[in-house]
Amino acid sequence: MSSYVKISPSILSADFSKLGEEIISLDKAGADYIHVDVMDGHFVPNITIGPEIIKKIRPVTKKIFDVHLMIEPVDKYIKDFADAGADIITFHPEATPNTLETINLIRKYNKKVGISLKPRSEISLIEKFLDKIDLILVMSVEPGFAGQKFMPEVLPKLKNLKEMISLKKLKIDLEIDGGINFENSKIAIEAGANILVSGSTIFKKNNGDLKKNISLLRSI
Ligand code: DX5
Ligand code: ZN
């Protein structure tokens, strides 16, 4: 029996003019987490939202805020995101001079620690930190924009991570992010992902039927 797959809808594809309502709808539609993509126009070419917005949307749901930081530097903003209500804080190792310090800083605020690997980032970047983190986010598009095409070439990396985690008997969630749709969610799960991030598919397919799209992604 395969274990339960969690769905973390990315609010990047939501209607920002009614963000609170959109999050309430995701909550009611059965989302497990709320994926918040934070971009700074420097680490990635796009600019999205910051801690002030997270603070404003925090009261509308009890769901876990899965905050994906695509910002550089990272450390000076960890406290702001922790105080704003992030539950999981995920960063890119390329964006910090000292990965261990960033991990420890997130821990200091009692938040779950995630590390993200871009499509071309190798496992060796994070291997020695595996016993210190809760989640690995494998990017299946170049970070920066919603609606890009899934890159199947990241699947072997996901499989290798899954094997390493099982071998070391670690409890690390494997999340995949970018271009996830009804056609590729199955291969992502088979490769080892237990959390799927999805923006465009959840908000745009089936006339934006969030409930249907979330359950389709989970069950495929
Ligand atoms: C890309 C973001 C993703 C993305 C997901 O940089 O990290 O979370 O917005 O959106 P879709 O599912 O449209 O690729
Ligand atoms: Zn993301």
Side-chain angles (χ1 to χ4, degrees):
M1 199 186 87
S2 62
S3 56
Y4 180 77
V5 173
K6 292 193 170 91
I7 306 296
S8 189
S10 165
I11 57 170
L12 200 51
S13 297
D15 180 345
F16 273 41
S17 70
K18 47 171 189 167
L19 192 51
E21 288 166 44
E22 294 271 72
I23 291 167
I24 293 167
S25 302
L26 287 172
D27 184 327
K28 288 190 183 142
D32 296 286
Y33 296 171
I34 302 294
H35 188 81
V36 185
D37 285 307
V38 178
M39 305 186 188
D40 66 352
H42 167 70
F43 184 71
V44 289
N46 198 3
I47 301 179
T48 56
I49 70 179
E52 284 305 321
I53 308 257
I54 295 178
K55 203 183 290 172
K56 292 290 186 319
I57 56 177
R58 182 64 280 187
V60 311
T61 181
K62 290 191 166 62
K63 298 280 177 188
I64 286 172
F65 274 9
D66 169 29
V67 176
H68 179 190
L69 299 181
M70 287 159 274
I71 61 171
E72 180 184 14
V74 184
D75 291 3
K76 66 189 265 201
Y77 297 107
I78 297 294
K79 183 181 188 303
D80 293 345
F81 285 101
D83 289 347
D87 297 294
I88 305 168
I89 300 182
T90 297
F91 66 96
H92 286 259
E94 294 91 345
T96 176
N98 189 326
T99 300
L100 185 58
E101 269 177 27
T102 305
I103 291 171
N104 290 338
L105 198 57
I106 299 172
R107 282 265 176 259
K108 188 177 131 189
Y109 295 105
N110 287 315
K111 304 300 176 184
K112 290 214 165 159
V113 180
I115 302 196
S116 180
L117 291 174
K118 294 193 279 189
R120 273 179 281 275
S121 299
E122 297 194 9
I123 295 177
S124 56
L125 261 177
I126 60 164
E127 209 170 342
K128 61 177 176 206
F129 308 111
L130 288 184
D131 60 339
K132 296 178 173 58
I133 62 178
D134 303 292
L135 177 148
I136 300 168
L137 189 165
V138 172
M139 296 243 31
S140 39
V141 298
E142 287 300 337
F145 300 92
Q148 302 181 77
K149 201 172 168 292
F150 179 75
M151 298 168 70
E153 57 266 41
V154 306
L155 292 171
K157 183 163 64 184
L158 195 56
K159 270 192 197 133
N160 289 342
L161 282 166
K162 174 78 180 169
E163 273 172 29
M164 286 172 81
I165 290 167
S166 311
L167 218 65
K168 291 177 193 276
K169 297 191 169 52
L170 294 166
K171 261 197 78 203
I172 302 178
D173 286 310
L174 276 177
E175 181 172 39
I176 188 155
D177 183 7
I180 293 293
N181 58 35
F182 306 130
E183 284 73 49
N184 57 33
S185 58
K186 190 173 189 284
I187 46 170
I189 295 165
E190 280 168 359
N194 71 313
I195 307 172
L196 307 180
V197 175
S198 164
S200 318
T201 294
I202 287 177
F203 281 96
K204 309 256 187 301
K205 294 287 168 183
N206 296 308
N207 294 314
D209 185 335
L210 302 177
K211 190 169 185 179
K212 183 172 184 176
N213 294 338
I214 287 173
S215 63
L216 275 175
L217 281 177
R218 191 182 282 123
S219 62
I220 271 171

